[in-house]
Protein backbone atom coordinates (compact mmCIF):
# COMPACT_ATOMS: atom_id res chain seq x y z
CA UNK A 1 0.00 0.00 0.00
CA UNK A 2 1.29 3.48 -0.88
CA UNK A 3 2.18 5.05 2.47
CA UNK A 4 3.70 8.40 1.51
CA UNK A 5 4.92 10.76 -1.15
CA UNK A 6 7.34 13.70 -1.17
CA UNK A 7 8.12 16.16 -3.98
CA UNK A 8 10.92 18.71 -4.07
CA UNK A 9 11.88 20.98 -6.96
CA UNK A 10 14.92 22.96 -7.98
CA UNK A 11 15.55 25.45 -10.81
CA UNK A 12 18.81 25.99 -12.71
CA UNK A 13 19.60 28.09 -15.72
CA UNK A 14 21.04 31.10 -17.44
CA UNK A 15 23.69 31.59 -20.06
CA UNK A 16 26.47 29.04 -20.33
CA UNK A 17 26.39 25.78 -18.39
CA UNK A 18 24.68 25.55 -15.00
CA UNK A 19 23.94 22.72 -12.62
CA UNK A 20 22.09 22.28 -9.33
CA UNK A 21 21.41 19.26 -7.10
CA UNK A 22 18.94 18.41 -4.37
CA UNK A 23 19.09 15.51 -1.88
CA UNK A 24 16.28 13.63 -0.16
CA UNK A 25 17.03 11.30 2.77
CA UNK A 26 14.53 8.91 4.39
CA UNK A 27 14.46 5.69 6.44
CA UNK A 28 14.94 2.43 4.49
CA UNK A 29 11.69 1.70 2.66
CA UNK A 30 10.48 0.44 -0.71
CA UNK A 31 10.69 3.58 -2.85
CA UNK A 32 9.99 4.56 -6.44
CA UNK A 33 11.59 7.86 -7.53
CA UNK A 34 10.40 9.74 -10.61
CA UNK A 35 11.93 12.89 -12.10
CA UNK A 36 9.92 15.32 -14.21
CA UNK A 37 10.52 18.74 -15.71
CA UNK A 38 7.74 21.15 -14.83
CA UNK A 39 8.98 24.20 -16.77
CA UNK A 40 11.75 25.08 -19.18
CA UNK A 41 12.86 27.79 -21.55
CA UNK A 42 15.53 27.68 -24.19
CA UNK A 43 16.79 29.55 -27.23
CA UNK A 44 18.57 26.62 -28.79
CA UNK A 45 20.10 25.43 -25.51
CA UNK A 46 19.73 22.18 -23.58
CA UNK A 47 17.98 21.42 -20.29
CA UNK A 48 17.60 18.13 -18.44
CA UNK A 49 16.92 16.67 -15.02
CA UNK A 50 17.56 13.19 -13.66
CA UNK A 51 18.87 11.00 -10.88
CA UNK A 52 22.56 11.46 -10.08
CA UNK A 53 22.71 8.73 -7.39
CA UNK A 54 20.75 6.78 -4.80
CA UNK A 55 21.62 4.76 -1.69
CA UNK A 56 20.06 1.63 -0.24
CA UNK A 57 20.41 -0.28 3.04
CA UNK A 58 22.09 -3.71 2.90
CA UNK A 59 21.03 -6.63 5.11
CA UNK A 60 24.11 -6.04 7.33
CA UNK A 61 22.97 -2.45 8.05
CA UNK A 62 25.54 -0.74 5.79
CA UNK A 63 24.55 1.51 2.88
CA UNK A 64 25.58 1.10 -0.77
CA UNK A 65 25.47 3.91 -3.33
CA UNK A 66 24.63 3.63 -7.03
CA UNK A 67 26.06 6.50 -9.13
CA UNK A 68 24.92 7.45 -12.62
CA UNK A 69 27.02 9.46 -15.09
CA UNK A 70 26.30 13.17 -14.96
CA UNK A 71 27.60 16.12 -16.87
CA UNK A 72 28.04 16.67 -20.57
CA UNK A 73 30.07 13.49 -21.23
CA UNK A 74 27.01 11.33 -21.99
CA UNK A 75 24.01 13.60 -22.58
CA UNK A 76 21.67 10.87 -23.82
CA UNK A 77 22.20 7.99 -21.38
CA UNK A 78 23.08 9.89 -18.20
CA UNK A 79 20.71 10.81 -15.39
CA UNK A 80 17.86 8.27 -15.49
CA UNK A 81 14.35 9.59 -14.91
CA UNK A 82 13.22 6.81 -12.53
CA UNK A 83 14.65 4.23 -10.11
CA UNK A 84 13.31 1.96 -7.40
CA UNK A 85 14.68 -0.21 -4.60
CA UNK A 86 13.10 -2.08 -1.69
CA UNK A 87 15.48 -0.52 0.91
CA UNK A 88 16.25 2.93 -0.54
CA UNK A 89 17.49 5.59 1.92
CA UNK A 90 18.61 8.53 -0.26
CA UNK A 91 18.32 10.06 -3.73
CA UNK A 92 20.12 12.99 -5.40
CA UNK A 93 18.49 14.77 -8.35
CA UNK A 94 20.56 16.90 -10.69
CA UNK A 95 19.27 19.64 -13.01
CA UNK A 96 21.60 20.73 -15.82
CA UNK A 97 21.24 23.50 -18.38
CA UNK A 98 23.25 25.11 -21.14
CA UNK A 99 21.91 28.42 -22.43
CA UNK A 100 18.50 27.49 -20.98
CA UNK A 101 16.62 27.19 -17.71
CA UNK A 102 14.48 24.40 -16.29
CA UNK A 103 12.72 23.32 -13.12
CA UNK A 104 13.06 19.65 -12.18
CA UNK A 105 10.77 17.89 -9.73
CA UNK A 106 11.89 14.84 -7.75
CA UNK A 107 8.94 12.80 -6.44
CA UNK A 108 9.45 9.87 -4.09
CA UNK A 109 6.67 7.29 -3.55
CA UNK A 110 6.92 5.09 -0.43
CA UNK A 111 5.31 1.69 0.25
CA UNK A 112 5.11 -0.09 3.59
Amino acid sequence: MLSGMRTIGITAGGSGGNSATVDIDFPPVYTVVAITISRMGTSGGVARAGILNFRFRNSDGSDSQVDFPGGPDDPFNALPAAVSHDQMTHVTMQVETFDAWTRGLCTTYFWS
Side-chain angles (χ1 to χ4, degrees), residues 24-33 51 53-68 83-92 110:
I24 302 176
D25 293 302
F26 37 87
V29 63
Y30 181 81
T31 306
V32 174
V33 179
I51 297 164
N53 64 56
F54 74 92
R55 286 194 296 266
F56 61 91
R57 184 73 36 94
N58 296 304
S59 59
D60 66 1
S62 65
D63 281 354
S64 291
Q65 182 164 305
V66 177
D67 295 308
F68 299 103
V83 294
S84 68
H85 195 280
D86 65 345
Q87 291 294 303
M88 193 178 296
T89 60
H90 168 92
V91 65
T92 300
F110 307 104

